[in-house]
Amino acid sequence: MKRYSENRRGRLPSAVLTGLAIASVAVLTACGTTQGGGGGSEGPKAADELGKTEGAVSILAWPGYVEDGSNDPAVDWVSAFEDETGCKVTSKTYGTSDEAFNLMKTGEYDVVAASGDASLRLVAAGDVAPVNTDLIPNYEGIYDFLKMQSWNSVDGVSYGIPHGYGANLLMYNTEAVTPAPTSWDVVFDKSSEYKGKVTAYDSPIYIADAAVYLMAHQPDLGIENPYALDETQLAAAVELLKEQRVNIGEYWSDYLKEIQAFETGDTVVGTTWQVIRNSLAEGTKAEVVLPEEGVTGWSDTWMIASEATNPNCAYEWLDYIASPEANAQATEYFGEAPSNQAACDFRSEGSCESFHAGDADYASKIWYWSTPIAECLDGRTDVECTDYSAWTTAWQEIKG
């Protein structure tokens, strides 16, 4: 696995638009294709059929998602797409979900790869169109447990194609942390035992990790979804994280820094990604576990701009990148599980196993990143939930 210095660095936004009313988002459509019924002036809607490809497509994505051989001649799945479709690819990478959200407003991009903490914002802002999955043959091969989820669909309408997914796991030094942990308590209630050597992800979305822990250990709080916290529930999560703060050695957002910290022993326990464990120097005494309380994680989605200049080539890209071969290349290079169930046939031996690809039971334990909004994502209507702006303020308070 290549250590890619920009991989997933700063994936999460520093602030989020408030008051998103997801329920009011209209069914969208891709510009320049034959349109179906419904939507009208309420917003764009999904395409009924595709037309002639335009010869170009502009893509906005995380680093490592759109590789054409220019970074590494051996890493190229874009050239085959261009040869097959005649659609010339131009791409731009971004470092945070906020950056992607703002760049999509320029109208310069046909396609974006969005994480769950950005996807619903893009939908609510009308910047992306719903996707007619009947026009994407490779959609059929996507794992069912990734389809039509809260971060890639609204009111039964698909807004994109799942790309890859992963979990925010617990990593621990096997000599310093004994017995082998099975719970997140080693970074919360028992974190004082490892004072100064505990690490946590540096982002307001990490509040959801505390909420997952509280769901199991303080059920009286009534948390049903870690991204749907009312003021009382958020306050409880903040208090837990303040207690943890005094034992944190450092927070991390650049995964290379966490690799170094575990290799040197400066960090002995904390939240991580499987790719980080896989990238540790040989002999590093560290292992990962999915704790009994469950975990947060990510599932990225390829989405089409509502005013795409090249919507037909955009559909071609979504179908291509969801194919077993391309999905295998892109997700293995980045370090995550693929979304296409046949992709493992094209990945290196043991790669899919290390990321638990296709394990629906494993995936069911992951609470995928979603943007907290005032309209409670757990379905409650008798209370208003805290939105991401409140989480951002809370995170600043936690870190001091």
Side-chain angles (χ1 to χ4, degrees):
M1 170 65 63
K2 178 181 178 181
R3 292 190 180 181
Y4 190 44
S5 61
E6 292 184 284
N7 273 13
R8 207 164 285 275
R9 178 181 298 176
R11 287 182 68 94
L12 301 168
S14 59
V16 174
L17 297 181
T18 60
L20 296 180
I22 296 299
S24 67
V25 176
V27 177
L28 312 176
T29 186
C31 238
T33 57
T34 303
Q35 311 298 337
S41 61
E42 296 179 352
K45 51 191 185 300
D48 281 339
E49 61 184 38
L50 298 179
K52 182 179 179 181
T53 55
E54 301 87 358
V57 63
S58 178
I59 303 173
L60 183 64
W62 292 109
Y65 271 25
V66 186
E67 292 295 315
D68 61 3
S70 58
N71 290 322
D72 183 342
V75 181
D76 180 5
W77 49 88
V78 169
S79 295
F81 167 76
E82 293 175 330
D83 292 342
E84 291 176 15
T85 65
C87 299
K88 178 68 175 177
V89 173
T90 57
S91 65
K92 179 179 177 61
T93 60
Y94 61 87
T96 70
S97 289
D98 262 359
E99 184 182 355
F101 181 75
N102 292 328
L103 284 170
M104 283 300 290
K105 290 192 171 301
T106 67
E108 297 177 6
Y109 306 98
D110 302 306
V111 175
V112 60
S115 291
D117 58 333
S119 54
L120 293 187
R121 285 191 284 159
L122 291 168
V123 172
D127 294 331
V128 292
V131 171
N132 184 346
T133 56
D134 290 340
L135 302 178
I136 301 176
N138 281 310
Y139 184 73
E140 184 177 354
I142 300 295
Y143 292 120
D144 287 340
F145 60 80
L146 296 176
K147 295 177 178 178
M148 301 304 293
Q149 298 298 325
S150 61
W151 59 88
N152 59 28
S153 69
V154 175
D155 293 335
V157 177
S158 173
Y159 277 83
I161 304 301
H163 175 71
Y165 66 98
N168 298 315
L169 301 168
L170 173 64
M171 187 154 68
Y172 63 98
N173 182 298
T174 55
E175 289 187 342
V177 182
T178 59
T182 59
S183 167
W184 286 109
D185 60 4
V186 291
V187 299
F188 290 122
D189 291 335
K190 297 180 180 179
S191 61
S192 61
E193 298 178 20
Y194 312 102
K195 185 176 179 64
K197 294 193 173 186
V198 179
T199 191
Y201 193 53
D202 191 4
S203 168
I205 205 70
Y206 184 66
I207 292 171
D209 291 62
V212 168
Y213 183 74
L214 291 173
M215 287 170 68
H217 295 275
Q218 292 189 35
D220 56 303
L221 287 169
I223 299 174
E224 298 292 336
N225 182 317
Y227 305 102
L229 305 180
D230 59 36
E231 289 187 1
T232 299
Q233 294 165 340
L234 177 63
V238 169
E239 181 60 29
L240 179 62
L241 290 168
K242 283 183 176 180
E243 293 172 1
Q244 180 198 56
R245 175 70 182 91
V246 299
N247 298 315
I248 293 287
E250 69 172 345
Y251 292 94
W252 67 276
S253 57
D254 180 350
Y255 90 137
L256 292 176
K257 291 184 178 180
E258 190 183 29
I259 290 172
Q260 182 179 23
F262 267 92
E263 289 177 346
T264 61
D266 290 340
T267 293
V268 299
V269 68
T271 186
T272 195
W273 301 318
Q274 184 69 53
V275 66
I276 293 176
R277 170 62 188 88
N278 294 352
S279 300
L280 291 175
E282 186 176 352
T284 302
K285 298 182 183 304
E287 292 296 342
V288 296
V289 63
L290 193 158
E292 58 195 18
E293 297 92 354
V295 295
T296 60
W298 72 88
S299 175
D300 291 344
T301 304
W302 289 104
M303 311 180 87
I304 296 178
S306 54
E307 297 184 3
T309 302
N310 306 293
N312 298 295
C313 278
Y315 264 87
E316 290 285 355
W317 174 260
L318 262 63
D319 186 47
Y320 173 79
I321 200 64
S323 67
E325 298 92 334
N327 188 240
Q329 288 178 277
T331 56
E332 179 166 8
Y333 179 69
F334 187 79
E336 59 191 335
S339 61
N340 190 303
Q341 51 197 323
C344 291
D345 294 338
F346 299 91
R347 287 179 47 150
S348 60
E349 184 177 356
S351 169
C352 277
E353 288 77 6
S354 70
F355 290 96
H356 300 273
D359 186 338
D361 181 62
Y362 183 91
S364 71
K365 296 179 175 66
I366 302 174
W367 288 95
Y368 296 100
W369 284 338
S370 296
T371 305
I373 56 175
E375 181 182 343
C376 295
L377 297 175
D378 59 7
R380 285 180 293 169
T381 57
D382 59 339
V383 66
E384 186 173 279
C385 279
T386 53
D387 61 23
Y388 207 94
S389 67
W391 285 40
T392 300
T393 300
W395 187 246
Q396 294 168 345
E397 180 184 342
I398 290 163
K399 294 189 65 180

